[in-house]
Amino acid sequence: MNAFWIILTGALVATSCGLLGTFLILRKMAMVGDAISHAVLPGIVIAYLLSESRDVLPMLIGAAALGVLTTFMIEFLYQKARLQIDASIGITFTWLFAMGIILISLYAGQVDLDQDCVLYGEIAYVPLDLWITESGRSMGPRPVWILGGVLLLILLLIIVGYRGLKITTFNPEYAAAVGISTVFWHYLLMSAVSVTTVVAFESVGAILVVAFLIVPPATAYLLTEKLQQMLLLTVGLGLLTAVSGYYLAVWIDGSVAGAMAVTSGVFLLLAVLFSPSTGVLTQRFRSRYPLRVTETGK
Amino acid sequence: MKTAIETHNLTVAYNRRPVLWDIDFQVPEGQLIGVLGPNGSGKTTLLKSVMGLVQPSSGYVRLFGQSLDEVRSRISYVPQRESVDWNFPISVREVALMGRYRKDKLLGRLSREDHRLADEALEKVGMLPFADRQIAQLSGGQQQRVFVARALAQQADLYLMDEPFAGVDAASEEAILTLLQDMKQAGKTVLIVHHDLHTAHQFFDWMVLLNTRLIKCGPTPAVFTTEYLRQAYGGQLTILSQVADLVKARDFPVRERSFKDQPK
Ligand SMILES: Nc1ncnc2c1ncn2[C@@H]1O[C@H](COP(=O)(O)OP(=O)(O)OP(=O)(O)O)[C@@H](O)[C@H]1O
Ligand SMILES: [Mg+2]
């Protein structure tokens, strides 16, 4: 049963992160997830100081608020201060993370915060965190329920907002000319990324979240030429990664999150080598055969 | 003639450096209008300020006598090709379909009619055989034609095109121009940023000559003169001698010739 819950958790995170990550990659903002994973620290400390408890909810709220603030800061530095996008991301998250460290050192006496246990969860412990109802019935692990809820919201966003996300990602200038608000869609996507990353860290740890945000979409990008297929393939790859990563961890008796992240990298490597259009080996193989001239279009 | 676009004291600055200065002009409906000027003279910026993509420091724009928001659905914009990532996973047909996206029906489904109009637009620019290809697998000129198709699918009354002929071969340019002529006959207005002086005076009924300031706006014969072109392009000798030739050439009945006989 534990295996089932761990794989299900991995699959839920993979799907949510993969769907959002597809759009992040196409917007050349893949590292935003990594930035948020660091930048939420001050939010967690402040939530802890204000609520004076180690309850998860206030911390999630604090973290999510900082996640959104992170995307605002990045956007400000990029659009208004005219820095490059990667520089804007780097500046924002190091600065916010450092603020978090200062806060912790200032309130060292009161803050009994161990980042590892508060924020950066461990997927192997998911089955232990059970949701027990008032009547004492066990509903299964709590993170599975929360992550499932998040996934539903994201599916709703992607399905209903598909065209808005697509056009503002592909050609924001044209979208604006048609009267579609690029700012609205940007922040809608970024809020979804903030909430998802924060919720997912709490149960599976940062590395796995960042890996799922970037690696399966990047793999799918190499394999397809259509956005819809890229989204579906990303989900498929995420599920495959969750299952095979888990069994790799069992086999080597190592970290589950680590094994899943490594597996996603292996799939990426396979795509790099064998992608039908851009694969390194595919091209070498093809070049052995002489080319034939085909009729070009008008 | 009714007025399609009018700007009043339009001034646009990037980082406090003016790129357009006190631009005041009107262009009529139902014409092919060329916007000409050297690199960096503010042609793209002019189109962007008409589309509300950059905020003017002063002045304003009226389209069909109304504000942009009131007539947005009647206006179609073809940005410069560099404005998108051509490796994006999207097919030619999907790009053309974007011409059917509307602010208020972004969430609903596209109708069969939308699909038909998109395909029809691709057909018109000769890109229908490529409809299912990813846009990365097109040549630069073909990509440009897809952009034109997207604008056509929009079924607008006023088209603003930023260098739609950049990298397009002579045959396709001719085909698109014939198309634009047809649209003009149907009462549409087409405003094009164009670079080639040799062809410009044959294509356009009306011209807007820019160099940060408005040099001259009016019917082609009134604008396309050595004097105004010198003001726009500066005193470079090579250009000027070419222009003198062109102006001379214009006195012959060039405009009667069909596009096929055009010297290229
Ligand atoms: N985003 C920007 N920020 C700062 N300056 C800009 C920006 N865009 C354009 N400029 C400057 O404004 C001036 C006009 O640019 P614009 O793109 O309108 O010229 P253009 O006439 O379209 O030129 P081209 O023929 O090369 O397309 C140029 O000097 C350019 O350097
Ligand atoms: Mg330009």
Side-chain angles (χ1 to χ4, degrees):
Chain A
M1 201 57 195
N2 280 359
F4 171 77
W5 291 123
I6 292 174
I7 292 174
L8 182 61
T9 306
L12 288 171
V13 174
T15 312
S16 304
C17 289
L19 290 172
L20 297 173
T22 301
F23 287 99
L24 289 182
I25 283 204
L26 294 173
R27 285 170 182 246
K28 316 215 168 11
M29 300 191 79
M31 292 315 285
V32 162
D34 188 29
I36 290 175
S37 75
H38 288 85
V40 293
L41 183 59
I44 291 171
V45 179
I46 292 170
Y48 176 78
L49 289 172
L50 291 181
S51 73
E52 295 176 331
S53 75
R54 293 183 60 149
D55 275 354
V56 177
L57 194 64
M59 292 200 191
L60 277 185
I61 294 172
L66 255 285
V68 176
L69 178 70
T70 309
T71 63
F72 271 107
M73 269 182 71
I74 292 171
E75 203 56 15
F76 176 81
L77 291 175
Y78 178 55
Q79 297 284 357
K80 293 287 187 303
R82 303 199 147 271
L83 282 163
Q84 293 90 332
I85 187 71
D86 48 355
S88 309
I89 293 174
I91 292 163
T92 305
F93 87 79
T94 47
W95 194 77
L96 287 173
F97 187 66
M99 291 292 285
I101 293 182
I102 290 183
L103 281 177
I104 290 187
S105 67
L106 278 184
Y107 297 97
Q110 303 156 45
V111 184
D112 168 30
L113 266 185
D114 177 7
Q115 260 197 64
D116 291 333
C117 70
V118 177
L119 178 58
Y120 305 113
E122 162 61 55
I123 190 170
Y125 299 153
V126 164
L128 305 180
D129 186 1
L130 290 176
W131 176 25
I132 314 278
T133 57
E134 305 270 317
S135 58
R137 236 176 93 210
S138 169
M139 305 291 290
R142 195 183 48 90
V144 169
W145 286 96
I146 299 177
L147 290 168
V150 168
L151 176 59
L152 280 183
L153 287 179
I154 288 169
L155 282 175
L156 193 72
L157 168 68
I158 303 276
I159 291 170
V160 176
Y162 179 68
R163 257 183 274 137
L165 287 169
K166 178 161 139 183
I167 193 170
T168 53
T169 304
F170 173 60
N171 197 345
E173 206 168 56
Y174 177 82
V178 182
I180 296 166
S181 168
T182 50
V183 175
F184 169 80
W185 289 100
H186 176 83
Y187 284 114
L188 192 59
L189 178 66
M190 289 306 162
S191 313
V193 173
S194 304
V195 172
T196 309
T197 23
V198 168
V199 170
F201 291 152
E202 198 246 337
S203 35
V204 308
I207 295 292
L208 191 55
V209 173
V210 177
F212 275 143
L213 269 175
I214 305 177
V215 186
T219 312
Y221 178 82
L222 293 176
L223 296 176
T224 91
E225 295 170 349
K226 283 216 166 130
L227 181 55
Q228 232 160 356
Q229 286 171 9
M230 187 173 160
L231 288 165
L232 292 175
L233 202 63
T234 298
V235 171
L237 281 163
L239 299 182
L240 205 62
T241 304
V243 176
S244 50
Y246 176 78
Y247 287 104
L248 175 67
V250 171
W251 183 48
I252 59 173
D253 195 17
S255 147
V256 178
M260 285 184 184
V262 166
T263 322
S264 69
V266 171
F267 286 126
L268 178 83
L269 182 68
L270 290 176
V272 168
L273 294 177
F274 299 109
S275 151
S277 52
T278 55
V280 178
L281 289 184
T282 331
Q283 302 211 338
R284 169 145 323 164
F285 183 71
R286 274 202 199 129
S287 63
R288 288 215 203 138
Y289 292 93
L291 290 175
R292 250 180 287 140
V293 175
T294 51
E295 189 73 24
T296 55
K298 290 164 287 175
Chain B
M1 261 188 301
K2 282 202 227 140
T3 306
I5 308 175
E6 49 184 312
T7 66
H8 293 278
N9 308 320
L10 187 70
T11 297
V12 180
Y14 290 117
N15 313 321
R16 308 192 57 81
R17 196 171 57 85
V19 170
L20 289 177
W21 185 259
D22 204 18
I23 306 280
D24 231 355
F25 73 83
Q26 304 192 346
V27 292
E29 276 185 36
Q31 306 281 311
L32 282 182
I33 303 148
V35 177
L36 290 101
N39 289 136
S41 56
K43 305 181 294 293
T44 298
T45 308
L46 178 68
L47 257 57
K48 284 188 182 172
S49 33
V50 171
M51 287 314 303
L53 300 175
V54 295
Q55 279 308 312
S57 342
S58 68
Y60 63 97
V61 178
R62 306 285 282 173
L63 300 163
F64 301 113
Q66 290 171 292
S67 73
L68 173 66
D69 279 323
E70 290 169 299
V71 291
R72 206 186 278 276
S73 61
R74 295 175 62 194
I75 313 215
S76 179
Y77 173 58
V78 181
Q80 255 175 311
R81 186 151 54 86
E82 295 73 37
S83 70
V84 304
D85 169 13
W86 289 94
N87 286 315
F88 199 91
I90 191 172
S91 70
V92 168
R93 180 175 277 119
E94 287 175 281
V95 176
L97 266 175
M98 280 185 182
R100 304 302 306 157
Y101 287 17
R102 289 289 174 279
K103 187 179 162 185
D104 45 348
K105 50 172 218 189
L106 203 55
L107 306 183
R109 289 186 77 84
L110 289 171
S111 69
R112 186 163 299 185
E113 178 71 358
D114 291 327
H115 284 269
R116 193 186 63 76
L117 287 168
D119 275 11
E120 191 181 280
L122 285 174
E123 170 97 71
K124 282 182 182 163
V125 298
M127 289 301 292
L128 196 54
F130 301 87
D132 293 315
R133 275 215 203 164
Q134 191 200 353
I135 53 171
Q137 302 165 9
L138 301 176
S139 72
Q142 290 172 330
Q143 292 173 345
Q144 194 72 67
R145 281 148 67 191
V146 175
F147 259 25
V148 173
R150 178 174 69 180
L152 294 179
Q154 218 175 316
Q155 303 269 297
D157 294 323
L158 170 62
Y159 294 80
L160 304 170
M161 307 189 171
D162 203 343
E163 303 197 30
F165 300 121
V168 173
D169 63 36
S172 312
E173 178 170 320
E174 191 186 299
I176 295 176
L177 268 164
T178 316
L179 201 74
L180 298 182
Q181 292 283 359
D182 293 347
M183 284 161 50
K184 179 189 138 188
Q185 298 306 329
K188 315 267 182 183
T189 313
V190 186
L191 182 118
I192 295 178
V193 173
H194 194 66
H195 258 303
D196 189 354
L197 287 177
H198 294 87
T199 49
H201 70 293
Q202 296 164 9
F203 296 168
F204 300 122
D205 311 308
W206 198 278
M207 278 188 186
V208 180
L209 201 55
L210 269 188
N211 196 344
T212 307
R213 293 158 199 278
L214 179 70
I215 306 291
K216 182 76 182 165
C217 168
T220 299
V223 178
F224 203 78
T225 64
T226 330
E227 177 52 28
Y228 289 130
L229 289 168
R230 191 171 54 78
Q231 283 183 31
Y233 288 86
Q236 292 127 305
L237 274 175
T238 46
I239 291 190
L240 269 190
S241 64
Q242 281 175 17
V243 164
D245 290 347
L246 287 173
V247 173
K248 227 183 294 160
R250 206 197 54 219
D251 295 333
F252 295 102
V254 184
R255 308 195 64 195
E256 257 59 63
R257 282 203 250 154
S258 82
F259 289 115
K260 283 212 178 58
D261 311 325
Q262 250 172 53
K264 182 66 205 184

